[in-house]
Structures are given as C-alpha cells and as structure tokens.
C-alpha cells in the first residue's frame, strides 16, 4: 500500500458494489463524526437505501474480511481500519472547492499587513489549527529568507559576530572564527562587499552567485577578505547542520474529545513525538518533493505509528516556483479529510502568492 500517493492516485484496492460502498461510507462517516463504532441497526437507518439490519450485517462481514473495517470490542459495532481509511480517502472521498467566504477569511487572516514571513507562517498554522481542531504545523527553510543587510562585528582578536538581517525583519547572529592578525579593514571590506551584492536575494542564491564571482576572480578582494566573505555566508548555509524551522500551534486541540485512558496515552505519545521534532521535520520534508496535498494515516508513517494520528500537508512555493516549505495539520485519524484537505491546499497557495509565486 502506497504511503504517500496523491489523493485519488491509489488504485482501487477492493471492488465494491453500490450496496457495499454505501455501507462502508456510512461506517466511515459515522466514525469521522463521532469516533464511535456503529452497528448494523443504526447503519440501516443512516444509509440512503432500504436494507434490513441483517442485510447490513452480511455486507459488514464482507467488508471486515476485506480488511476495511474491524470490531474494536465484542459488540456489533464496527470502525474503519487504517487500510479502510486509506481506501476511503483515495477511492471514495469527494473533495470540493472551499466556499468563497472561507477563502476570503483565510486570505484575511494569513496576509496580515506588516507581518514578517515568520509571522505569516505562525498565523497560518494557528488559523489552520483553529479551523480543523487539530495541531497546525509549518516546516520552513531559514535559507529562503530574502536578505537585507549583513555586518561583521569584531568581538575578540580571533572572533567576530556576524549579524544577518532579512527583509521580513528576522535577525540572526553567528560567531565566526577569524584568522590571526586579520585587520579590521578586512571586516569592513567584507561587510561592504556583501551588502552590495546580497540585497533582495535568498541566502542560497547569494551564496551561489558570490562563490561563482570569487572562483572567477571577479571579486576585487584580497585573499583574507575572501575567506571572511565565504565563511560569513557558510555560517547560514547549513553550517550549523540545521537550517529548517518548525512551527507547531494548537497542541491543546489534540486533548479534545478523549474517550478513554488509551486515548490519553495516544496523545501523550504524540506530544512526545512533537517535542523531539526531528522525526516530524523528516516526515514533512517528504512533501517537499511532491505535488499537491499529502495524507499520512496512522502507521503509514513510523513517527505516528503508536499515537494513531493522521497528517495532512501541502508544500508552498517561492517566486521562482521552487518548493520552500510545507504547511498542514496533525490530528486524530478521524480528521474530517474532505474538509481539511482543501483548507490546507488553499492556505499553501495563499502563502505561495505572498512569496510571489
């Protein structure tokens, strides 16, 4: 079973006739609405066709043998399996467009005037969390910020502070080791040179252009100053081994609607996984090479295999069309997929437009 196919791309795993399809859809819809098992008597009242509870039970047995539903207890009620949820999402779920009023609301909340890009992403994850009653998550790359100013400030004879200011107002500092005997004029020259060339560029673009200029001998700098320029840029270009930033908002929503102690343990496990972050960054990173929305259900990803959670994520792009981050939500497997998918997709597109995409 594919773990990260686009919506609708998974092949039909089971051929269901109309009766089986409606009963299975009724079981899934009931689970997404209540989280509770549903029995044949209630299903017979819910589905849009006239069937006796006995007929419904017979179909439920077939669905159970196909691995699409299961009985959590000895009662007659049934829930969809993770396999069943994947089949529902890929083959049966209908995803419509967002209503115009919801589109306007998302745009108004995300595109706040005067907000930094980090502020936009934080607001977007907070908004998605509120709309979906799940945790909102954003993975972005620090190197995607457009640069405004860089400065070298000597702290000690062999150490300097490198201050980088982005156009969205973010400020970051790095400590840089200096060659012994480096004159202060070299730091001034490196500062002036970089500020003439980096403004408005992303860090990755600026680094590539400057490395090319230095290699071609077009940069009128002495050897020591060239080293400072290269080291200053390298300190942001993954020099610390972690150039990704993770934003998580709305943890509290994951505590809502708990039915039993095992649910509490599931959410505690999820909190632990969110706190470690590394696995989540890797999971979200899988969407960076993909088109459109991705849905991971329960044990389809190792990160949430124990906590029984689902993740719905979509990439967003910069002005060049390059994927530069991922936004989405994490919640219980009974997320309202049909409602959440277009929300996540549209929010990602709004962010992309703000980046000039």
């Amino acid at each position: 079973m594919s773990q990260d196919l686009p919506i609708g791309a998974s092949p039909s795993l089971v051929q269901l006739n109309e009766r089986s399809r409606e009963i299975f859809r009724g079981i899934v819809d009931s689970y997404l609405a209540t989280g509770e098992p549903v029995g044949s008597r209630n299903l017979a009242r819910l589905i849009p066709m006239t069937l006796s509870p006995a007929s419904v039970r017979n179909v439920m047995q077939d669905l159970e043998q196909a691995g699409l539903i299961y009985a959590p207890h000895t009662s007659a009620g049934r829930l969809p399996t993770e396999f069943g949820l994947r089949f529902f999402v890929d083959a049966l779920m209908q995803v419509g467009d967002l209503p115009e009023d919801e589109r306007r609301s998302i745009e108004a909340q995300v595109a706040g005037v005067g907000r930094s890009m980090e502020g936009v992403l934080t607001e977007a994850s907070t908004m998605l969390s509120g709309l979906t009653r799940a945790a909102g998550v954003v993975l972005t790359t620090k190197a995607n910020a457009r640069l405004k100013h860089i400065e070298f400030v000597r702290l000690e004879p062999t150490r300097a502070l490198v201050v980088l200011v982005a156009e969205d107002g973010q400020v970051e500092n790095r400590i840089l080791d200096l060659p012994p005997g480096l004159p202060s004029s070299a730091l001034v020259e490196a500062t002036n040179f970089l500020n003439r060339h980096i403004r408005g560029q992303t860090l990755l673009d600026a680094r590539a252009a400057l490395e090319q200029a230095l290699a071609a001998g077009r940069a009128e700098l002495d050897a020591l100053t060239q080293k400072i320029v290269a080291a200053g840029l390298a300190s942001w270009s993954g020099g610390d081994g972690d150039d990704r930033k993770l934003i998580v908002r709305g943890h509290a929503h994951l505590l809502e609607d708990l039915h039993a102690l095992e649910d509490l343990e599931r959410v505690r496990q999820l909190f632990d996984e969110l706190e470690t972050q590394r696995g989540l960054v890797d999971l979200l990173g899988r969407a960076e090479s993909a088109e459109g929305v991705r849905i991971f259900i329960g044990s389809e990803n190792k990160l949430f295999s124990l906590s029984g959670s689902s993740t719905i994520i979509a990439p967003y792009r910069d002005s060049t069309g390059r994927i530069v981050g991922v936004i989405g939500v994490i919640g219980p497997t009974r997320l309202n997929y049909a409602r959440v998918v277009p929300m996540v997709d549209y929010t990602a597109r709004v962010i992309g437009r703000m980046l000039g995409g």
Side-chain angles (χ1 to χ4, degrees), residues 213-244:
L214 291 172
R218 293 196 304 271
E220 298 178 359
L221 301 170
D222 62 37
L224 276 179
T225 305
Q226 286 190 26
K227 286 184 179 180
I228 299 304
V229 167
L233 287 176
S235 66
W236 273 277
S237 304
D240 60 356
D242 183 12
D243 67 340
R244 290 178 166 184

Side-chain angles (χ1 to χ4, degrees), residues 134-149:
V137 292
V138 175
L139 178 67
T140 187
T141 306
K142 297 174 185 177
N144 291 320
R146 297 203 173 272
L147 308 178
K148 181 179 181 181
H149 183 77

